[in-house]
Amino acid sequence: GENVEQHPSTLSVQEGDSAVIKCTYSDSASNYFPWYKQELGKRPQLIIDIRSNVGEKKDQRIAVTLNKTAKHFSLHITETQPEDSAVYFCAAPFLKFGNEKLTFGTGTRLTIIP
Amino acid sequence: DGGITQSPKYLFRKEGQNVTLSCEQNLNHDAMYWYRQDPGQGLRLIYYSQIVNDFQKGDIAEGYSVSREKKESFPLTVTSAQKNPTAFYLCASTQLTGVVTTEAFFGQGTRLTVV
């Protein structure tokens, strides 16, 4: 079935340290892997994404890596800051009967400790 | 100002009533989605639609219904058959470009409470 597993569900790191969140997906045909950040009471917003023809993508302090063989992708945040505290979601599209179903992971609550 | 708009922001429903949540987008996106978010949980897919007059059930469609009469609108009705409707509901849209998936944009959400 179409499944995206995300770990850990909660993560606390000291300010300045790195944080890593991992996701695995079930459909080898999935070709797009975004990460969303949701601050308290707000809508999720895209922070970085990667396509299946690329192994790694960086944008300042955040990076995403993709291992298509193992069907997993990870979010890396370096030099964490208090404003990085939020819930992070990974997602993957699944093609079903010609329709694309965008499925999200269960989320990771990241807390940055000052 | 382009975007995706949900209304109302807060909604209270009495038990046994149907309520309809509005979702409108002016991004000219083809695909629209409804997700339910419970405290401390992820985004669970209720319904999705890729073209007008067509939609598909997601993972938790029971007790919900949708319509897609216009490209820009995808209203969600929470029926009395939904036994535990209190949750935060998010609508999203994406552009479809063949095999290439694009960024999903979310509305600001509707918090539904059963009283």
Side-chain angles (χ1 to χ4, degrees):
Chain A
E2 313 90 15
N3 192 36
V4 178
E5 293 188 1
Q6 183 172 347
H7 299 282
S9 57
T10 60
L11 179 62
S12 296
V13 300
Q14 289 291 139
E15 182 178 352
D17 287 350
S18 296
V20 180
I21 304 170
K22 299 182 180 180
C23 284
T24 59
Y25 58 98
S26 58
D27 188 353
S28 57
S30 294
N31 56 14
Y32 174 70
F33 308 95
W35 284 92
Y36 288 81
K37 176 182 180 181
Q38 186 180 28
E39 297 177 351
L40 192 62
K42 295 189 177 180
R43 72 188 83 188
Q45 293 193 302
L46 180 75
I47 55 171
I48 195 166
D49 55 15
I50 192 168
R51 300 197 180 276
S52 57
N53 58 346
V54 176
E56 184 177 4
K57 183 177 178 181
K58 284 185 180 180
D59 183 4
Q60 299 183 332
R61 296 187 297 109
I62 60 171
V64 55
T65 57
L66 172 64
N67 183 328
K68 283 223 72 177
T69 303
K71 291 190 283 187
H72 70 240
F73 57 111
S74 299
L75 176 70
H76 304 255
I77 306 175
T78 59
E79 300 173 23
T80 52
Q81 300 170 4
E83 54 263 37
D84 294 329
S85 293
V87 179
Y88 292 81
F89 293 97
C90 60
F94 297 92
L95 198 60
K96 188 175 183 181
F97 307 123
N99 288 285
E100 190 173 271
K101 179 183 176 186
L102 187 61
T103 299
F104 284 80
T106 49
T108 297
R109 182 172 298 279
L110 175 64
T111 303
I112 307 303
I113 305 166
Chain B
D1 185 25
I4 179 166
T5 303
Q6 288 183 242
S7 62
K9 190 172 181 180
Y10 299 97
L11 185 58
F12 297 89
R13 190 195 93 169
K14 292 183 179 178
E15 287 194 21
Q17 279 185 338
N18 293 353
V19 289
T20 297
L21 283 57
S22 170
C23 180
E24 303 274 335
Q25 54 98 359
N26 60 5
L27 301 166
N28 200 33
H29 283 176
D30 297 302
M32 297 187 74
Y33 307 81
W34 275 105
Y35 294 91
R36 170 178 172 146
Q37 187 173 30
D38 293 285
Q41 297 197 25
L43 304 174
R44 293 187 290 168
L45 183 62
I46 305 172
Y47 269 98
Y48 59 112
S49 167
Q50 302 217 264
I51 58 173
V52 173
N53 293 323
D54 187 50
F55 46 83
Q56 309 298 323
K57 291 183 179 179
D59 301 313
I60 55 165
E62 186 175 351
Y64 300 97
S65 66
V66 294
S67 62
R68 188 88 186 273
E69 297 178 0
K70 298 185 295 183
K71 184 176 182 178
E72 57 270 22
S73 179
F74 191 41
L76 173 74
T77 297
V78 184
T79 74
S80 56
Q82 171 49 240
K83 297 306 177 189
N84 185 21
T86 294
F88 188 53
Y89 291 86
L90 284 161
C91 179
S93 70
T94 65
Q95 182 61 289
L96 298 177
T97 57
V99 298
V100 179
T101 308
T102 61
E103 175 183 356
F105 289 85
F106 284 85
Q108 71 270 42
T110 294
R111 189 166 299 280
L112 174 63
T113 304
V114 173
V115 296

